[in-house]
Amino acid sequence: MATIIDGRSLAKTINTQTSKRVAKLNQQGIHPGIAVVIAGDDSASLIYTRNKHKKAMKLGINSVLKKYPFNVSQDELLAEIDKLNKDDSIDAILVQQPMPPQIDSRIITNAISPEKDVDGLNPLNLGKLFANQNTNYPIACTPRGIMRMLEEYNVKLKGQNVVIIGRSILVGKPLLALLNNADATVTMAGRSTTNLSRLTQTADILIVAAGVPHLISAKDIKAGATVIDVGINRLSTGKLTGDVDFDSAKEKAGLITPVPGGVGPMTIATLMEQTVDLAQWRHHG
Amino acid sequence: MATIIDGRSLAKTINTQTSKRVAKLNQQGIHPGIAVVIAGDDSASLIYTRNKHKKAMKLGINSVLKKYPFNVSQDELLAEIDKLNKDDSIDAILVQQPMPPQIDSRIITNAISPEKDVDGLNPLNLGKLFANQNTNYPIACTPRGIMRMLEEYNVKLKGQNVVIIGRSILVGKPLLALLNNADATVTMAGRSTTNLSRLTQTADILIVAAGVPHLISAKDIKAGATVIDVGINRLSTGKLTGDVDFDSAKEKAGLITPVPGGVGPMTIATLMEQTVDLAQWRHHG
């Protein structure tokens, strides 16, 4: 029976630290601020955005929401990003995905100033991460949150076999860089991977970010492995479930994250933490 | 008995194409130019640099050598890079490694304009590669040359298991990105990897860039695998040898590169090709 990683509790600890840091910065006249740009009425996106907004306000971080209609043009969004880049009260800019089809997300995220790129999506920040540069730069929040969980639960990384399922720029790729930088032996798998189960059974640490409900179950897991489930899938019953069949997997894994209550809360806590980092770096270098 | 990949012959083909492209650009008044910055008297570096210079001149590419003494300061080198960044006759800037110990190579390579970064070392270019952006940007020449070899010999990539040994920013990491982008299932191994032989035996494609003579021999290779040897090690006898024990490995592999005559010539040919690319992109977008 695995130890269950308590993402909610760890997120709470981080949030407490973050709000203390905000209070301290306020005394120096620095007021961290985040702007979230959203287009359209996707209900899941609206909920996520509102949650981020509430959490920011609760921690003392200024939060502004830039809401655009579904038919917004690329130029309008680029003009907004440009304004936010120049706005001294804004330290962090986040563009809520998905964007409407007429928008090239890549062009929008590339336009965010690397210093305010709280999602770590600008290629300059991604490149610094892969180059393992020892300077300050933002890192995608979900991967950074996962690394924090692994650290908190004393999971050894050096020389360990890690398998990451999912190659997204928001999760899989930054994780690949972080774990390579930590001297793990990392394999990145995707849809075209053959013999996935044989591969995952070699993993000391298995990270699943495939967006496929219950892709992984006990039979795919090495006994005692650490299993991190990044999936958040809503079943037809309305219930949230991960990419891992938690009930069977928890009997075989050594450490495992639940869904909900695992990676999710850590992502929002890390977003807030990194917003404060960006404010601090921008004002103190 | 493996098919031997003929890097020299393929490099020759590329060089012929490159010199034709140069002639065509010349007719449009465009004269591709490369600058190589070198510091100190390391004899291997001087030989490499001279070879690049000769090859460039032979293909009609202008080549300038900026030679500094071993005790050059970081500021002097940064001033040189700044000058070359602004020099309209220079399309490609290469800083010959290793630099003297008082120089922080990372600061120097970060200072190269991303548009002239022929080694693909600027984090912006590395980030674009990991983000798989479909725009024009330079890629480290050895990895680009290896991808060309694999293409030329019709090596299937999608869904194949690839193991890369070596995590350098000049070879291992860009290869990881390129092969991920090609939908292979890539594992990156390093010094801390445990059970390396068991891992390499799973590889359909094995790329060895460890800098350890004969690290890999037949017993570490899956029968029929493609083996790419990036190592160039000089033995005490003066003879060059790779990271792969070629004599035993060629009996088990399906395809294999020799050392010398495999990856090496491809790297220089790709450097020349990419210099012309940079000239073309800078003048024609």
Side-chain angles (χ1 to χ4, degrees):
Chain A
M1 175 75 189
T3 299
I4 317 272
I5 295 180
D6 189 344
R8 278 204 192 98
S9 157
L10 181 52
K12 212 176 247 179
T13 306
I14 295 171
N15 286 334
T16 304
Q17 291 165 343
T18 300
S19 77
K20 279 186 196 156
R21 289 175 63 204
V22 172
K24 211 168 160 188
L25 286 171
N26 286 348
Q27 287 171 6
Q28 303 165 24
I30 299 168
H31 299 271
I34 184 169
V36 178
V37 179
I38 182 169
D41 289 306
D42 179 63
S43 60
S45 294
L46 285 171
I47 293 170
Y48 290 142
T49 306
R50 207 167 304 139
N51 286 346
K52 288 170 189 169
H53 182 71
K54 272 199 249 170
K55 182 62 76 186
M57 300 305 273
K58 199 177 155 197
L59 301 180
I61 295 170
N62 293 324
S63 168
V64 295
L65 188 61
K66 301 290 182 179
K67 204 175 165 319
Y68 283 86
F70 190 77
N71 65 358
V72 63
S73 73
Q74 183 128 314
D75 285 348
E76 284 174 274
L77 287 180
L78 285 174
E80 179 63 73
I81 299 289
D82 186 51
K83 233 167 63 184
L84 292 169
N85 281 341
K86 290 172 181 153
D87 185 339
D88 196 49
S89 73
I90 297 299
D91 300 289
I93 304 170
L94 187 149
V95 175
Q96 182 68 45
Q97 302 296 339
M99 284 273 120
Q102 75 278 13
I103 305 298
D104 184 336
S105 281
R106 220 165 241 191
I107 291 177
I108 303 295
T109 51
N110 282 7
I112 297 173
S113 159
E115 286 76 28
K116 298 189 176 187
D117 169 35
V118 73
D119 260 346
L121 288 175
N122 186 296
L124 183 64
N125 290 321
L126 192 66
K128 285 180 176 178
L129 182 61
F130 272 100
N132 198 12
Q133 298 209 346
N134 57 354
T135 52
N136 291 327
Y137 50 86
I139 297 168
C141 297
T142 300
R144 188 175 156 181
I146 290 172
M147 294 301 283
R148 177 68 182 270
M149 286 199 302
L150 295 174
E151 192 191 328
E152 205 68 30
Y153 282 81
N154 297 310
V155 178
K156 189 187 163 192
L157 302 176
K158 188 174 174 174
Q160 298 295 288
N161 292 330
V162 181
V163 172
I164 301 170
I165 308 177
R167 305 184 207 263
S168 81
I169 189 177
L170 209 46
V171 180
K173 286 178 181 175
L175 265 174
L176 172 64
L178 286 162
L179 290 159
N180 262 328
N181 293 346
D183 262 341
T185 302
V186 190
T187 304
M188 172 158 264
R191 246 178 287 271
S192 52
T193 298
T194 49
N195 271 315
L196 184 65
S197 180
R198 201 167 64 187
L199 177 65
T200 57
Q201 287 171 64
T202 67
D204 302 305
I205 302 168
L206 175 60
I207 302 175
V208 193
V212 180
H214 296 192
L215 176 68
I216 295 296
S217 62
K219 68 178 187 329
D220 309 308
I221 297 172
K222 180 176 172 175
T226 296
V227 178
I228 306 290
D229 187 352
V230 188
I232 304 185
N233 311 287
R234 194 172 290 278
L235 300 177
S236 54
T237 59
K239 204 191 147 200
L240 286 182
T241 192
D243 290 355
V244 175
D245 175 16
F246 181 78
D247 289 336
S248 80
K250 76 174 193 300
E251 302 299 329
K252 197 160 177 200
L255 261 177
I256 191 168
T257 60
V259 175
V263 172
M266 287 300 292
T267 296
I268 297 200
T270 307
L271 176 66
M272 298 303 139
E273 184 182 36
Q274 190 152 264
T275 296
V276 178
D277 289 343
L278 291 174
Q280 207 166 319
W281 297 339
R282 202 157 65 85
H283 287 92
H284 295 306
Chain B
M1 175 75 189
T3 300
I4 316 275
I5 295 180
D6 188 346
R8 279 204 191 97
S9 157
L10 181 50
K12 212 177 244 180
T13 306
I14 294 171
N15 286 333
T16 305
Q17 291 164 344
T18 299
S19 79
K20 280 186 194 155
R21 289 174 64 204
V22 172
K24 214 168 159 190
L25 285 170
N26 286 348
Q27 287 170 7
Q28 303 165 23
I30 299 169
H31 299 271
I34 184 169
V36 178
V37 179
I38 183 170
D41 289 305
D42 179 65
S43 61
S45 293
L46 285 170
I47 294 169
Y48 289 141
T49 306
R50 207 167 301 140
N51 286 346
K52 288 170 188 168
H53 181 71
K54 272 199 249 169
K55 181 62 75 183
M57 301 304 275
K58 199 176 156 199
L59 301 180
I61 295 170
N62 293 324
S63 169
V64 295
L65 187 61
K66 301 289 182 179
K67 205 175 164 319
Y68 284 86
F70 188 77
N71 65 356
V72 63
S73 74
Q74 182 127 313
D75 285 348
E76 284 175 274
L77 287 181
L78 285 174
E80 179 63 73
I81 299 289
D82 186 53
K83 234 167 63 185
L84 292 169
N85 281 341
K86 290 173 181 152
D87 185 339
D88 197 50
S89 74
I90 296 299
D91 299 289
I93 303 170
L94 187 149
V95 175
Q96 182 69 44
Q97 302 296 338
M99 284 272 120
Q102 75 277 15
I103 304 298
D104 184 337
S105 281
R106 218 165 241 189
I107 292 177
I108 303 294
T109 52
N110 282 8
I112 297 172
S113 161
E115 288 74 29
K116 298 188 175 187
D117 170 35
V118 73
D119 259 346
L121 288 176
N122 187 296
L124 183 65
N125 289 321
L126 191 66
K128 285 180 175 177
L129 182 61
F130 272 98
N132 199 12
Q133 298 209 346
N134 57 354
T135 52
N136 292 326
Y137 51 86
I139 297 169
C141 296
T142 301
R144 188 176 156 181
I146 290 172
M147 294 302 283
R148 177 69 181 271
M149 286 198 303
L150 294 173
E151 192 191 328
E152 205 69 28
Y153 281 81
N154 297 309
V155 177
K156 189 188 163 191
L157 301 177
K158 188 176 173 172
Q160 297 295 289
N161 293 330
V162 181
V163 172
I164 302 170
I165 307 177
R167 307 184 205 264
S168 80
I169 190 176
L170 208 47
V171 181
K173 286 179 181 176
L175 265 173
L176 172 65
L178 286 161
L179 290 159
N180 262 329
N181 293 345
D183 260 342
T185 302
V186 190
T187 304
M188 172 158 265
R191 245 178 288 270
S192 52
T193 298
T194 48
N195 271 316
L196 184 65
S197 180
R198 200 166 66 187
L199 177 66
T200 57
Q201 287 173 61
T202 68
D204 302 306
I205 302 168
L206 175 60
I207 303 175
V208 193
V212 179
H214 296 193
L215 176 68
I216 296 295
S217 63
K219 69 178 185 332
D220 310 307
I221 297 172
K222 180 176 172 174
T226 296
V227 178
I228 306 290
D229 188 353
V230 187
I232 304 184
N233 311 287
R234 193 172 289 278
L235 299 178
S236 54
T237 59
K239 202 189 147 202
L240 285 182
T241 191
D243 290 354
V244 175
D245 174 18
F246 182 78
D247 290 335
S248 80
K250 76 174 193 301
E251 302 300 327
K252 195 160 177 200
L255 260 176
I256 191 167
T257 58
V259 175
V263 172
M266 287 300 291
T267 296
I268 296 200
T270 307
L271 176 67
M272 298 301 140
E273 184 181 37
Q274 191 152 264
T275 296
V276 177
D277 290 342
L278 290 175
Q280 207 166 320
W281 297 339
R282 202 158 65 85
H283 288 92
H284 295 306

